[in-house]
Amino acid sequence: MILHNRVNKKILKEKLRESEEQRVTLSFYKYLNIQDPEAFRDQLYIDLSNLGVLGRIYVAHEGVNAQISVPEDRFEAFEGYMNMSAQLNGTRLNIAVDDDGKSFFKLKIQVKKKIVADGLNDATFDVTNKGTHLSAEEFNNLSGDPNTIIVDMRNHYESEVGHFKNAICPDVDTFREALPVVEEMLEDKKDKNIIMYCTGGIRCEKASAYYKHKGFKNVFQLDGGIIEYARQVKNQGLENKFVGKNFVFDERLGERISEEVISVCHQCGNPCDDHTNCKNDGCHLLFIQCSECAEKHQGCCSPECKDIINLPEEHQKEIRKGLNKGRQVFKKGRSEKLLFKSYAKS
């Protein structure tokens, strides 16, 4: 059996767009000891392929981190598989809040050094000594305490479109960068209630243990992150203290949590919170673009990229030869080519 996808991604994306199959988007993570990540990865690929699962999964010695979609008519079988797994049993499944079933177009499972790139030396502190988990109701109650500080442990392009009210949102590009920045910001507040949150909770699992090691006395984390918070708020009729969209790392690029639009188009400055990737294959810059600018610029971030996508395909390939596209992607809306740079105003 082939243990990776070999079909062209453009074909797979088109197939996904045309498909009427109902799918459920979800994420899960679990810190556990995996002796042989390569063998674990291969078996997981076989098992999930048989269930029709699509998505992106990282496997490491320290555990598993997954963002996937499952065919609706096989979701019960998927849950059964998880429950029967000696290593994955008991893992919480974070079901997407705003789901169109078009989140992933292939299954990709990679072996990594870590399931989240944090830059930490885990041997120097007790990673199991985590912060206190808070339900949505507990989060709402504690966040109203004047002795509480709420910290967004996500990146700037995530918090730009949505965050909790009164949260500190570090202007960082990566989680690895966020850890020392947040530590410095809170250096004189180690006796305060520190509530951290992220998309699904995985970043806060490690961050909360790290900050407790650094001397912070009262460390809390939002259990299940924004996704689980939104579910509990809806099911329990609680006040929703999150404003805007929750950025997600799949084809949707966001799920709406509240009706407020707190960001602007990076090209014209009008209210907008729709992320997109530049249509120029030599760029793929992630940025916010409204529908009017998308039409005007043909889905591109700049006139230069618009000119390029209208060239013959062979000419485009010649232009992007040798370009390090990955570096361009990770600029995440900070390109000098953008006409309106809202991040500079935050």
Side-chain angles (χ1 to χ4, degrees), residues 218-233:
N218 307 304
V219 180
F220 301 86
Q221 63 187 91
L222 181 58
D223 190 27
I226 299 164
I227 298 173
E228 178 63 13
Y229 176 87
R231 187 190 70 80
Q232 291 182 21
V233 163

Side-chain angles (χ1 to χ4, degrees), residues 147-167:
N147 199 44
T148 295
I149 299 173
I150 305 170
V151 185
D152 193 320
M153 293 305 299
R154 302 173 304 153
N155 308 321
H156 77 89
Y157 55 91
E158 297 175 81
S159 60
E160 182 178 5
V161 295
H163 53 75
F164 280 102
K165 296 174 183 177
N166 302 317

Side-chain angles (χ1 to χ4, degrees), residues 7 28 36 39 59 128-129 146 164 172 195 234 252 276 304 309 313 320:
V7 182
F28 67 85
D36 188 342
V59 176
T128 67
N129 185 24
F164 280 102
V172 296
I195 305 180
K234 180 179 179 181
R252 296 172 299 151
T276 189
E304 295 88 344
I309 68 166
E313 180 60 31
R320 62 177 179 261

